[in-house]
Amino acid sequence: MKNVIKDLIKTTIPNQFRTKLRQHYSLYSFFGFKHKCPFCNSNLKSFLPHGLNFPVLKKKEVVAAGFRENVLCPKCGSYDRERLLYLFLIKKTKLLRQQTKLLHVAPEDKLVGLLNNQNNIDYLTADLLRKNVMVNMDITDIQYPDNSFDAIICNHVLEHVPDDQKAMTELFRVLKPNGWAVLQVPISYKLDETFEDESIVKESDKEIFFGQEDHVRIYAADYFERLQSVGFKLEIFDWRTDLKDFGGEKNLFGLNKNEKIFFVTK
Ligand SMILES: [Zn+2]
């Protein structure tokens, strides 16, 4: 019977409509009430699995990296880490309520549309190489004066930057006094100290040792000391201590249970 329907669809529906039909069918197959995407409000049975599969990520239990279940929204494509960041920004900061000059480095696609449309946000997106940002910026040499921004979002960037100390110093410099930043990185709590080795340069070796072809280290908990060493005050926020705002015990929003928010202030 299934094949008969398949053949009927093949012979009667033009190709471009078949693609649409397939998308709708696959969305339908994810429909459920266990999870909800805070970006597109879809009710879902589950999110899609996603992530790189390099053994080092699993062996070192690198949080916010590696293959995991329940990551990608089948409707809008949001990632678990974007959903956590979004919820954190709206629940735990005044970003949407206060006049804010915001620097967003390597901006997460789902957030750009949202933040760009906020009247209270003077928004600057930046990236070293990407073209779909407002300015190209090397975060080890930022082209803005001291105390320029009320807030900075710079996630999953520092693990790509060889001189991360310089980058942190620059981010601290351009942040206004009392300003805040979210500086997420993949991190392993199994490592005693951050693993980095300048002699590892080949992409295939970086995949083996760092878990991604363009990473230059795997951070350990000493990441926090690095942040504090340039002057930041650090608060680590664990969403599981605030289940009311973050989707409850059943993890409605499909967040990574081990991911914490690294929130710094100047
Ligand atoms: Zn979604």
Side-chain angles (χ1 to χ4, degrees):
M1 182 61 184
K2 219 175 169 182
N3 281 341
V4 176
I5 295 174
K6 253 190 180 168
D7 285 343
L8 195 70
I9 287 173
K10 234 181 184 171
T11 50
T12 55
I13 301 179
N15 196 26
Q16 69 268 35
F17 295 117
R18 284 212 300 273
T19 310
K20 278 252 173 280
L21 198 69
R22 207 173 316 124
Q23 282 167 351
H24 278 293
Y25 175 75
S26 84
L27 271 183
Y28 173 75
S29 67
F30 279 98
F31 179 77
F33 290 101
K34 196 170 171 203
H35 295 293
K36 191 180 189 77
C37 173
F39 283 103
C40 66
N41 283 320
S42 295
N43 292 303
L44 302 164
K45 197 152 60 184
S46 70
F47 293 93
L48 293 165
H50 180 82
L52 296 171
N53 234 338
F54 298 109
V56 67
L57 298 170
K58 199 168 180 188
K59 193 167 162 222
K60 304 295 178 197
E61 295 175 16
V62 183
V63 176
F67 184 84
R68 53 211 190 273
E69 303 293 332
N70 233 16
V71 175
L72 202 63
C73 172
K75 175 88 185 280
C76 73
S78 72
Y79 292 94
D80 50 358
R81 71 189 202 203
E82 292 173 315
R83 295 192 292 274
L84 174 59
L85 175 62
Y86 172 60
L87 291 165
F88 179 81
L89 293 175
I90 58 172
K91 304 279 186 189
K92 298 289 163 195
T93 75
K94 292 177 178 156
L95 182 60
L96 302 191
R97 302 193 299 276
Q98 218 169 46
Q99 197 58 40
T100 306
K101 191 163 180 194
L102 172 67
L103 169 64
H104 194 176
V105 182
E108 292 84 352
D109 291 339
K110 300 303 306 169
L111 280 174
V112 173
L114 228 128
L115 299 174
N116 210 8
N117 287 325
Q118 290 291 321
N119 289 331
N120 67 312
I121 298 178
D122 180 0
Y123 192 39
L124 183 74
T125 57
D127 193 89
L128 182 61
L129 299 168
R130 266 164 61 180
K131 294 276 170 268
N132 62 344
V133 290
M134 296 172 190
V135 292
N136 287 119
M137 176 186 284
D138 173 357
I139 60 163
T140 64
D141 185 16
I142 298 177
Q143 64 268 45
Y144 290 89
D146 298 359
N147 311 323
S148 290
F149 300 97
D150 298 297
I152 299 174
I153 302 171
C154 179
N155 295 328
H156 293 265
V157 175
L158 292 167
E159 70 273 20
H160 297 260
V161 180
D163 192 349
D164 65 336
Q165 169 95 18
K166 185 87 203 304
M168 291 176 197
T169 305
E170 278 291 89
L171 293 169
F172 185 80
R173 179 182 69 75
V174 296
L175 194 62
K176 290 182 191 174
N178 299 315
W180 58 264
V182 176
L183 304 175
Q184 300 297 97
V185 294
I187 191 164
S188 165
Y189 298 103
K190 275 196 100 180
L191 284 171
D192 293 329
E193 58 178 26
T194 293
F195 174 69
E196 51 197 337
D197 182 343
E198 283 173 20
S199 71
I200 299 169
V201 287
K202 263 170 64 185
E203 288 188 354
S204 55
D205 288 338
K206 287 180 176 175
E207 285 169 346
I208 293 168
F209 291 103
F210 306 131
Q212 193 169 309
E213 89 283 354
D214 54 354
H215 284 184
V216 296
R217 67 180 64 80
I218 297 177
Y219 282 109
D222 59 348
Y223 172 57
F224 309 137
E225 284 144 38
R226 291 189 185 202
L227 290 171
Q228 286 160 330
S229 76
V230 304
F232 284 123
K233 270 181 254 152
L234 169 70
E235 257 176 71
I236 299 170
F237 174 75
D238 182 349
W239 65 270
R240 290 191 299 169
T241 62
D242 193 355
L243 290 171
K244 179 175 64 68
D245 274 343
F246 287 80
E249 205 60 71
K250 291 184 176 163
N251 194 5
L252 181 68
F253 303 116
L255 307 180
N256 182 337
K257 289 188 176 163
N258 299 317
E259 188 175 6
K260 298 174 177 73
I261 293 278
F262 307 138
F263 182 79
V264 294
T265 50
K266 175 169 171 179

